[in-house]
Amino acid sequence: MSRPYDLLIVGELNPDIILTGDVIPRFDQAEQLVDDLAVCAGSSSAIFAASVSKMGLRVLFGSLVGDDLFGRYMIEELRRAGIDPSFVEVNPALKTGAGVMLSRGQNRAIFTYLGAIAAVSSAQVNPVWYSQARHLHVASPFLLSALRPAMPAMMRAAHEAGMTVSLDTNWDPAELWAVDDLLEHLDLFLPNENELLAIAREHDLERAIARISVRAPVLVVKRGERGAIAVRGSERVEAPAFQVPVADTTGAGDTFDGGFVAAWLRGEPLQRCLLLASACAALKVGHVGGFVGQPTWDEAEAFTGRPHPTWTTGPSR
Ligand SMILES: Nc1ncnc2c1ncn2[C@@H]1O[C@H](COP(=O)(O)OP(=O)(O)OP(=O)(O)O)[C@@H](O)[C@H]1O
Ligand SMILES: [Mg+2]
């Protein structure tokens, strides 16, 4: 069936403000000078959308922003990433959200002001869209509090219309980790290691993988500079991270997700999906900002030819 879009994403759209250097705050009016300030396109849904768009997929992105500087900036950034911003509603009664990152290389503190993020709801979803795209990706269910109750129905509608479905939960600020009603609808589940441990209510990674991999046809666990693991039934593949200079890891996971989904939708073998995803993330982490450095398909593929630590493949443990 030919459809006008490959990817449907309905989610948050906001910038990140990234401070680098002496970023551990001291109170009592102490004035600290930081090394760098960057205002960048952010948010998991939008970074993922930009990533798959740059990989050549056609993206239908629904969202909500305020009629303000950050909202206008993000609409322009979407356009620059090749995404039509017509499905982003501008509501003057809302303020666009923002993330403030205090970044120290691989490690960062994140302050999120939700604003319009918490107002994105099923009102931003046109049911016609389910017959117009091939795959639904859901990111940040814990931030999208008004959309959260509609997510199981969205996933069900997507499947009924012949779409496949992926989820990256990202962190739950409330640390409740309630995802049972979402897990049952997934084709791909893409948490990072800490998120997987929290969702599985386990301290041991292998036990968490064993517990959750039986509930998702494909489970991909992102492990930062330690790489990633993908499990599909009895098949298991591990990919170390590429060794590259790191400027900023914001959006590494979302860009990784974009590479993985793009390769998976092309029917690539699991090992190839993981390698392309790792290449996409490695190219991103060399730059500050979520959208910056994200590769095209050809750039990611060329990068996978670089020397890479050894692969581990084999049956699931
Ligand atoms: N320092 C690094 N060097 C090379 N690759 C990296 C580095 N950090 C992350 N990556 C790549 O990015 C992938 C995803 O990173 P990570 O585990 O940080 O995801 P995440 O926590 O979901 O990120 P996000 O902050 O976008 O939510 C890793 O599996 C790895 O391939
Ligand atoms: Mg993540």
Side-chain angles (χ1 to χ4, degrees), residues 106 108 168 170 192 195 222-225 227-228 241-242 244 246 249-254 256 278 281-282 285:
Q106 185 77 17
R108 60 192 186 273
D168 181 347
N170 290 298
N192 74 20
E195 292 152 6
K222 292 167 284 178
R223 308 184 68 209
E225 57 195 338
F242 284 92
V244 288
V246 176
T249 60
T250 309
D254 310 309
F256 174 102
S278 305
V285 299

Tab-separated table of all heavy atoms in Angstrom, residues 106 108 168 170 192 195 222-225 227-228 241-242 244 246 249-254 256 278 281-282 285, ligand 1:
chain	number	residue	atom	x	y	z
A	106	GLN	N	29.746	13.619	29.180
A	106	GLN	CA	28.749	12.543	29.087
A	106	GLN	C	27.601	12.751	30.081
A	106	GLN	O	26.525	12.208	29.924
A	106	GLN	CB	29.446	11.194	29.347
A	106	GLN	CG	28.586	9.961	29.182
A	106	GLN	CD	28.353	9.578	27.708
A	106	GLN	OE1	29.067	10.023	26.832
A	106	GLN	NE2	27.338	8.775	27.460
A	108	ARG	N	24.934	15.067	32.470
A	108	ARG	CA	24.262	16.356	32.498
A	108	ARG	C	23.072	16.355	33.452
A	108	ARG	O	22.449	15.317	33.668
A	108	ARG	CB	23.819	16.782	31.100
A	108	ARG	CG	22.857	15.836	30.430
A	108	ARG	CD	22.719	16.199	28.947
A	108	ARG	NE	21.693	15.401	28.324
A	108	ARG	CZ	21.907	14.188	27.800
A	108	ARG	NH1	23.101	13.656	27.838
A	108	ARG	NH2	20.915	13.536	27.269
A	168	ASP	N	10.017	5.042	22.812
A	168	ASP	CA	11.169	5.376	23.658
A	168	ASP	C	10.592	6.146	24.837
A	168	ASP	O	10.122	7.272	24.680
A	168	ASP	CB	12.175	6.231	22.873
A	168	ASP	CG	13.414	6.574	23.705
A	168	ASP	OD1	13.388	6.366	24.937
A	168	ASP	OD2	14.398	7.043	23.122
A	170	ASN	N	12.004	7.459	27.501
A	170	ASN	CA	12.815	8.440	28.199
A	170	ASN	C	12.507	8.391	29.702
A	170	ASN	O	11.795	7.516	30.167
A	170	ASN	CB	12.658	9.830	27.582
A	170	ASN	CG	13.319	9.857	26.205
A	170	ASN	OD1	14.522	9.655	26.096
A	170	ASN	ND2	12.540	10.045	25.155
A	192	ASN	N	16.688	3.369	27.344
A	192	ASN	CA	18.097	3.250	27.725
A	192	ASN	C	18.191	2.304	28.926
A	192	ASN	O	17.175	1.840	29.463
A	192	ASN	CB	18.769	4.619	27.939
A	192	ASN	CG	18.357	5.301	29.239
A	192	ASN	OD1	17.874	4.678	30.175
A	192	ASN	ND2	18.570	6.612	29.293
A	195	GLU	N	16.437	3.303	32.206
A	195	GLU	CA	14.979	3.271	32.041
A	195	GLU	C	14.478	1.824	32.039
A	195	GLU	O	13.461	1.514	32.670
A	195	GLU	CB	14.597	3.992	30.738
A	195	GLU	CG	14.865	5.500	30.803
A	195	GLU	CD	15.168	6.169	29.470
A	195	GLU	OE1	15.067	5.518	28.411
A	195	GLU	OE2	15.546	7.363	29.502
A	222	LYS	N	19.783	0.984	25.061
A	222	LYS	CA	20.876	1.923	24.786
A	222	LYS	C	21.707	2.104	26.049
A	222	LYS	O	21.163	2.314	27.126
A	222	LYS	CB	20.288	3.269	24.332
A	222	LYS	CG	19.619	3.182	22.977
A	222	LYS	CD	18.778	4.405	22.697
A	222	LYS	CE	17.486	4.371	23.477
A	222	LYS	NZ	16.652	5.553	23.285
A	223	ARG	N	23.035	2.028	25.891
A	223	ARG	CA	23.910	2.030	27.062
A	223	ARG	C	24.986	3.107	26.969
A	223	ARG	O	26.113	2.919	27.424
A	223	ARG	CB	24.551	0.655	27.223
A	223	ARG	CG	23.527	-0.488	27.213
A	223	ARG	CD	24.185	-1.811	27.464
A	223	ARG	NE	24.695	-1.886	28.822
A	223	ARG	CZ	25.750	-2.612	29.187
A	223	ARG	NH1	26.413	-3.307	28.291
A	223	ARG	NH2	26.154	-2.625	30.442
A	224	GLY	N	24.641	4.251	26.357
A	224	GLY	CA	25.582	5.364	26.282
A	224	GLY	C	26.882	4.939	25.635
A	224	GLY	O	26.882	4.253	24.615
A	225	GLU	N	28.024	5.295	26.260
A	225	GLU	CA	29.328	4.976	25.645
A	225	GLU	C	29.624	3.472	25.669
A	225	GLU	O	30.586	3.021	25.062
A	225	GLU	CB	30.443	5.776	26.307
A	225	GLU	CG	30.547	5.558	27.788
A	225	GLU	CD	31.402	6.631	28.456
A	225	GLU	OE1	32.213	7.275	27.783
A	225	GLU	OE2	31.232	6.809	29.678
A	227	GLY	N	27.551	1.369	24.350
A	227	GLY	CA	26.928	0.807	23.154
A	227	GLY	C	25.474	0.429	23.356
A	227	GLY	O	24.758	1.094	24.104
A	228	ALA	N	25.054	-0.649	22.697
A	228	ALA	CA	23.637	-1.022	22.739
A	228	ALA	C	23.472	-2.526	22.521
A	228	ALA	O	24.348	-3.182	21.973
A	228	ALA	CB	22.866	-0.245	21.667
A	241	ALA	N	29.796	1.226	21.318
A	241	ALA	CA	29.697	2.563	20.719
A	241	ALA	C	30.943	2.805	19.871
A	241	ALA	O	32.015	2.270	20.161
A	241	ALA	CB	29.585	3.608	21.819
A	242	PHE	N	30.802	3.591	18.814
A	242	PHE	CA	31.979	4.036	18.061
A	242	PHE	C	32.791	4.965	18.956
A	242	PHE	O	32.219	5.738	19.726
A	242	PHE	CB	31.537	4.799	16.810
A	242	PHE	CG	31.027	3.923	15.715
A	242	PHE	CD1	29.672	3.627	15.607
A	242	PHE	CD2	31.903	3.379	14.779
A	242	PHE	CE1	29.198	2.814	14.583
A	242	PHE	CE2	31.437	2.565	13.749
A	242	PHE	CZ	30.084	2.281	13.659
A	244	VAL	N	34.507	8.092	19.372
A	244	VAL	CA	34.529	9.393	18.702
A	244	VAL	C	34.672	10.488	19.758
A	244	VAL	O	34.305	10.289	20.911
A	244	VAL	CB	33.204	9.623	17.914
A	244	VAL	CG1	33.150	8.743	16.681
A	244	VAL	CG2	31.981	9.386	18.799
A	246	VAL	N	33.531	13.488	21.899
A	246	VAL	CA	32.166	13.820	22.324
A	246	VAL	C	32.067	15.301	22.686
A	246	VAL	O	32.789	15.787	23.555
A	246	VAL	CB	31.757	12.954	23.537
A	246	VAL	CG1	30.377	13.355	24.043
A	246	VAL	CG2	31.770	11.485	23.165
A	249	THR	N	26.063	14.873	24.360
A	249	THR	CA	25.288	13.643	24.098
A	249	THR	C	23.773	13.886	24.080
A	249	THR	O	23.008	12.941	23.929
A	249	THR	CB	25.610	12.552	25.141
A	249	THR	OG1	25.272	13.055	26.433
A	249	THR	CG2	27.066	12.136	25.094
A	250	THR	N	23.333	15.155	24.185
A	250	THR	CA	21.894	15.439	24.116
A	250	THR	C	21.319	14.898	22.806
A	250	THR	O	21.825	15.226	21.733
A	250	THR	CB	21.638	16.967	24.143
A	250	THR	OG1	22.343	17.520	25.232
A	250	THR	CG2	20.151	17.278	24.269
A	251	GLY	N	20.310	14.066	22.904
A	251	GLY	CA	19.666	13.567	21.686
A	251	GLY	C	20.379	12.384	21.054
A	251	GLY	O	19.959	11.916	19.992
A	252	ALA	N	21.436	11.870	21.694
A	252	ALA	CA	22.125	10.689	21.139
A	252	ALA	C	21.137	9.534	21.018
A	252	ALA	O	21.091	8.833	20.005
A	252	ALA	CB	23.296	10.280	22.025
A	253	GLY	N	20.329	9.353	22.053
A	253	GLY	CA	19.378	8.243	22.062
A	253	GLY	C	18.293	8.406	21.003
A	253	GLY	O	17.896	7.438	20.357
A	254	ASP	N	17.816	9.628	20.823
A	254	ASP	CA	16.747	9.866	19.838
A	254	ASP	C	17.282	9.709	18.421
A	254	ASP	O	16.590	9.196	17.535
A	254	ASP	CB	16.161	11.270	20.040
A	254	ASP	CG	15.801	11.501	21.487
A	254	ASP	OD1	15.109	10.650	22.060
A	254	ASP	OD2	16.243	12.511	22.062
A	256	PHE	N	19.867	7.821	17.657
A	256	PHE	CA	20.050	6.363	17.567
A	256	PHE	C	18.713	5.707	17.176
A	256	PHE	O	18.656	4.891	16.249
A	256	PHE	CB	20.538	5.852	18.928
A	256	PHE	CG	20.648	4.355	19.048
A	256	PHE	CD1	21.882	3.728	18.971
A	256	PHE	CD2	19.519	3.572	19.271
A	256	PHE	CE1	21.984	2.344	19.094
A	256	PHE	CE2	19.618	2.198	19.386
A	256	PHE	CZ	20.849	1.583	19.304
A	278	SER	N	23.978	3.075	15.790
A	278	SER	CA	25.167	3.502	16.542
A	278	SER	C	25.954	4.544	15.750
A	278	SER	O	26.505	5.488	16.330
A	278	SER	CB	26.075	2.299	16.834
A	278	SER	OG	25.351	1.293	17.498
A	281	ALA	N	24.160	7.920	16.042
A	281	ALA	CA	24.390	8.532	17.359
A	281	ALA	C	25.828	9.048	17.459
A	281	ALA	O	26.067	10.138	17.985
A	281	ALA	CB	24.103	7.519	18.454
A	282	ALA	N	26.786	8.278	16.942
A	282	ALA	CA	28.196	8.691	17.033
A	282	ALA	C	28.430	9.981	16.262
A	282	ALA	O	29.204	10.850	16.689
A	282	ALA	CB	29.091	7.576	16.495
A	285	VAL	N	26.949	12.933	18.463
A	285	VAL	CA	27.591	13.341	19.729
A	285	VAL	C	28.818	14.230	19.514
A	285	VAL	O	29.281	14.871	20.457
A	285	VAL	CB	27.956	12.138	20.648
A	285	VAL	CG1	26.726	11.350	21.039
A	285	VAL	CG2	29.033	11.249	20.047
B	1	LIG	N1	30.103	8.958	24.311
B	1	LIG	C1	29.600	8.318	23.254
B	1	LIG	N2	30.394	7.944	22.222
B	1	LIG	C2	29.885	7.292	21.150
B	1	LIG	N3	28.600	6.933	21.030
B	1	LIG	C3	27.770	7.277	22.040
B	1	LIG	C4	28.210	7.985	23.191
B	1	LIG	N4	27.151	8.175	24.023
B	1	LIG	C5	26.087	7.618	23.395
B	1	LIG	N5	26.462	7.073	22.230
B	1	LIG	C6	25.629	6.326	21.285
B	1	LIG	O1	24.298	6.753	21.439
B	1	LIG	C7	23.468	5.649	21.802
B	1	LIG	C8	22.355	6.126	22.693
B	1	LIG	O2	22.893	6.818	23.810
B	1	LIG	P1	22.242	6.823	25.248
B	1	LIG	O3	22.409	5.492	25.864
B	1	LIG	O4	22.847	7.989	25.926
B	1	LIG	O5	20.685	7.044	24.926
B	1	LIG	P2	19.593	7.877	25.747
B	1	LIG	O6	19.900	7.809	27.208
B	1	LIG	O7	18.262	7.431	25.285
B	1	LIG	O8	19.889	9.341	25.193
B	1	LIG	P3	18.963	10.654	25.221
B	1	LIG	O9	19.713	11.605	26.069
B	1	LIG	O10	18.889	11.091	23.796
B	1	LIG	O11	17.620	10.270	25.782
B	1	LIG	C9	24.409	4.630	22.450
B	1	LIG	O12	23.883	3.327	22.357
B	1	LIG	C10	25.667	4.830	21.601
B	1	LIG	O13	25.573	4.103	20.392
